[in-house]
Amino acid sequence: MDNKVLVQMNGNRVTAKTTVNGKTLVGRSTGMASTTLCVEYSISSRMDNKSYLVQMNGNRVHGKTTVNGKTLSGKGVHGNGIHHVSVNGSLYPAKAKSRRQRWEVKPSEMSNNTLNPIRAIVDGMKLTPNPDKPMIALSIGDPTVFGNLPTDDAVLQAMKDAIDSQKYNGYAPSVGYLKSRQVVANFYSCPEAPLEAEDVILTSGCSQAIDLAISVLCNPGDNILVPCPGFSLYKTLAVSMGIKVKLYNLLPEKSWEVDLQHMESLIDERTSCLIVTNPSNPCGSVFSKEHLQKILKVASKHCVPILADEIYSDMVFPGCSCPSMASLSSDVPILSCGGLAKRWLVPGWRMGWILIHDRSDIFGSDIRQGLVKLSQRILGACSIVQGALESILNNTPQCFYNKTISFLKSNSEICFNELSTVPGLNPVMPSGAMYIMVGIDMDHFPDFKNDVDFTERLMTEQSVFCLPASAFEYPNFFRIVVTVPEEMMVEACGRIREFCQCHYRPRSRDSNDLDQ
């Protein structure tokens, strides 16, 4: 049916009058669903009184008026009662009536599902140090905290030069500058696993690299395989995306090698990714070439891609080797995540990367394009650090790396040797990274319920804080960070010994009960 609506525009207000079924309605024309029209338009420019004739024909709306001596035509499209009229070439949507009658703003499911296991454990602990003893924190995985491990002067100079050049003050491409990506590709490329710039995505630290890798490989309802004990971020990210986490065991009696049989038993048709951390946080373990090949064999058998967290890849003690997983893979596609944070001792600079290894073209273009799209959500890596990358990677002297590794090995040996002779404790000697895991024989410490209780009391009595391994879903261990100054490490180990001697109870020879 045809209805005519007279629209009167007075300044910035628009009113309408029409008659439907014998009733006069003002402000909005009303009729059958096919002819409903909202005529309260937003006019941004001031206009004198004008008459606007709107002709409604079925689902189409046509309008014509004269503004500033020009004839403007408007055309509306029926849909949910909202129409647009073009004025001065712009679209002005009509106001949609809110259906909400009261405020009700709730957090998203993603935010509700986001949980950092470390924070969940630590925030619930009563951490009150002994006021008579200086605090020693062996819990923080930041090598810069105590100031004893500065980065090299060449690294600092590279940053100063990048700033002074004023070439890197703007936005970089979402995946990073092409030149910077090529520098990273050249640095990590090897004959067994060649890389080009197109195989590199620069990110805001290794954490964003892991985030992008999980996001591109997994859908809600999928599952990923994660080492236990392992870095807590994997679970934090996955669960927030609706991805199930399956934990595969590492074996302390075998220097934290993977329980391959257990890992393989967890794989099903919804397994979209296997995460391998080598060297390990929190264990400090380094897998041998042979063990890595066994892991790859399982992944190949079940066609599961690998996310290789290799942020500590070059931080291995003398006598150990740490080949990249990609250099050993013949068919398994691998996303290798790394960055500047640990080897160059600049975690705050937030420079990481994903190396895409896909020689059999299993990822194809889809995964690569997926990573590009995900990187466009938020621009990641700092442009200034990107500008300094070439000099950082190519000009940092080998003696800097060697000095860092030598220090970490020395501190690890001090810690291991000291705690190995403490009754009730079972440290596992690391081979790299910055950590050592120490087992607690809880049967010998009846004063404590678990590792959380143990480390909490250690803090209260001795002002030494170690991270309980329950934060890594591996109870009755604790993790020590070995980046503290040597004298502080010696002091901390002495206090841990004193604490254990105070609370240790030997087993009774005649029964399983403890000799109180």
Side-chain angles (χ1 to χ4, degrees):
M1 86 184 144
D2 292 344
N3 288 335
K4 290 187 177 180
V5 182
L6 184 64
V7 182
Q8 183 70 31
M9 298 189 292
N10 299 307
N12 289 340
R13 298 292 298 169
V14 182
T15 58
K17 183 182 290 186
T18 187
T19 302
V20 178
N21 297 330
K23 296 182 179 180
T24 299
L25 303 177
V26 177
R28 182 171 60 190
S29 69
T30 306
M32 298 172 59
S34 63
T35 58
T36 301
L37 169 65
C38 179
V39 298
E40 184 173 332
Y41 295 97
S42 174
I43 307 299
S44 62
S45 60
R46 182 175 178 84
M47 292 180 283
D48 295 329
N49 294 350
K50 302 291 180 182
S51 292
Y52 190 105
L53 185 66
V54 179
Q55 181 74 35
M56 302 195 308
N57 298 309
N59 289 341
R60 303 293 294 179
V61 182
H62 303 272
K64 183 178 291 185
T65 189
T66 301
V67 180
N68 297 329
K70 295 182 179 180
T71 299
L72 301 177
S73 295
K75 185 177 292 185
V77 180
H78 174 72
N80 299 325
I82 298 175
H83 302 267
H84 297 230
V85 171
S86 178
V87 179
N88 295 333
S90 300
L91 291 178
Y92 293 82
K95 283 185 178 180
K97 184 177 180 181
S98 173
R99 296 181 179 178
R100 291 183 179 176
Q101 303 301 315
R102 58 188 175 86
W103 284 99
E104 189 176 12
V105 183
K106 297 180 179 180
S108 67
E109 289 186 13
M110 183 176 188
S111 66
N112 284 334
N113 292 333
T114 299
L115 175 69
N116 185 321
I118 293 179
R119 295 265 44 101
I121 294 289
V122 174
D123 289 350
M125 298 175 70
K126 298 177 182 178
L127 300 176
T128 305
N130 184 336
D132 297 327
K133 296 189 176 185
M135 174 69 178
I136 301 178
L138 303 178
S139 58
I140 305 172
D142 181 347
T144 71
V145 168
F146 296 97
N148 60 312
L149 291 174
T151 191
D152 191 75
D153 288 343
V155 178
L156 297 177
Q157 189 60 50
M159 279 290 281
K160 294 173 185 177
D161 291 344
I163 293 171
D164 290 342
S165 74
Q166 298 199 46
K167 295 179 180 178
Y168 308 104
N169 295 335
Y171 291 122
S174 65
V175 294
Y177 291 121
L178 180 62
K179 180 180 179 181
S180 303
R181 294 163 66 200
Q182 187 62 60
V183 167
V184 174
N186 293 343
F187 191 81
Y188 286 102
S189 186
C190 64
E192 299 81 11
L195 290 166
E196 297 294 338
E198 65 181 10
D199 302 315
V200 178
I201 305 285
L202 298 184
T203 62
S204 178
C206 188
S207 295
Q208 192 199 15
I210 294 168
D211 185 17
L212 295 181
I214 293 175
S215 298
V216 80
L217 294 176
C218 308
N219 287 307
D222 286 351
N223 64 76
I224 61 174
L225 306 189
V226 171
C228 182
F231 186 35
S232 60
L233 181 67
Y234 311 138
K235 183 174 182 178
T236 298
L237 294 173
V239 172
S240 71
M241 299 183 220
I243 300 162
K244 182 179 179 181
V245 172
K246 294 185 176 182
L247 302 175
Y248 65 85
N249 292 331
L250 304 182
L251 304 172
E253 67 274 16
K254 293 186 176 181
S255 297
W256 302 109
E257 285 190 345
V258 174
D259 184 337
L260 295 167
Q261 185 175 357
H262 180 237
M263 182 180 74
E264 186 169 10
S265 72
L266 298 175
I267 299 174
D268 61 25
E269 68 280 358
R270 294 301 302 270
T271 302
S272 54
C273 175
L274 165 62
I275 296 181
V276 179
T277 314
N278 188 48
S280 168
N281 174 12
C283 302
S285 55
V286 178
F287 295 148
S288 67
K289 175 181 177 180
E290 293 72 24
H291 191 62
L292 289 172
Q293 288 172 327
K294 291 177 182 178
I295 296 171
L296 284 164
K297 185 176 180 180
V298 173
S300 177
K301 177 181 176 181
H302 296 278
C303 300
V304 178
I306 288 177
L307 189 169
D309 184 350
E310 298 180 325
I311 186 66
Y312 297 100
S313 62
D314 295 296
M315 298 180 72
V316 297
F317 300 162
C320 298
S321 62
C322 185
S324 68
M325 291 212 76
S327 69
L328 303 176
S329 175
S330 58
D331 62 329
V332 178
I334 295 170
L335 297 180
S336 173
C337 300
L340 290 183
K342 303 304 169 69
R343 190 184 187 197
W344 285 269
L345 305 176
V346 286
W349 290 11
R350 310 311 301 143
M351 172 56 66
W353 45 73
I354 299 175
L355 309 180
I356 306 169
H357 296 279
D358 185 31
R359 292 191 299 283
S360 298
D361 201 33
I362 294 169
F363 283 153
S365 62
D366 290 346
I367 294 297
R368 292 175 182 271
Q369 283 302 310
L371 285 170
V372 172
K373 291 176 181 178
L374 288 169
S375 73
Q376 292 169 347
R377 294 178 66 195
I378 298 176
L379 293 182
C382 173
S383 59
I384 295 174
V385 184
Q386 290 187 53
L389 262 181
E390 181 174 16
S391 183
I392 290 173
L393 297 185
N394 295 336
N395 297 336
T396 302
Q398 185 62 42
C399 62
F400 165 75
Y401 305 129
N402 294 343
K403 182 179 179 181
T404 303
I405 294 299
S406 176
F407 173 82
L408 295 175
K409 181 175 186 290
S410 175
N411 255 15
S412 296
E413 289 174 339
I414 289 171
C415 186
F416 176 79
N417 292 334
E418 288 291 322
L419 299 186
S420 291
T421 60
V422 175
L425 297 186
N426 300 291
V428 181
M429 181 63 192
S431 299
M434 312 185 314
Y435 314 100
I436 181 170
M437 286 279 276
V438 182
I440 312 166
D441 190 340
M442 296 304 303
D443 290 342
H444 285 297
F445 296 100
D447 294 344
F448 313 118
K449 294 178 295 184
N450 50 39
D451 58 308
V452 176
D453 196 19
F454 181 97
T455 52
E456 186 177 274
R457 289 281 295 278
L458 176 61
M459 174 72 157
T460 301
E461 296 181 19
Q462 297 291 340
S463 296
V464 174
F465 183 48
C466 305
L467 197 61
S470 287
F472 308 108
E473 305 198 59
Y474 206 83
N476 301 333
F477 275 76
F478 60 88
R479 186 192 74 173
I480 290 176
V481 179
V482 298
T483 56
V484 300
E486 180 178 317
E487 62 275 13
M488 195 174 290
M489 178 60 71
V490 172
E491 171 67 18
C493 289
R495 294 191 201 175
I496 293 171
R497 176 185 296 276
E498 181 180 327
F499 175 80
C500 290
Q501 288 173 340
C502 180
H503 294 281
Y504 179 84
R505 301 291 183 270
R507 293 181 188 275
S508 171
R509 294 183 178 180
D510 298 326
S511 70
N512 290 328
D513 295 333
L514 295 176
D515 184 1
Q516 298 295 327

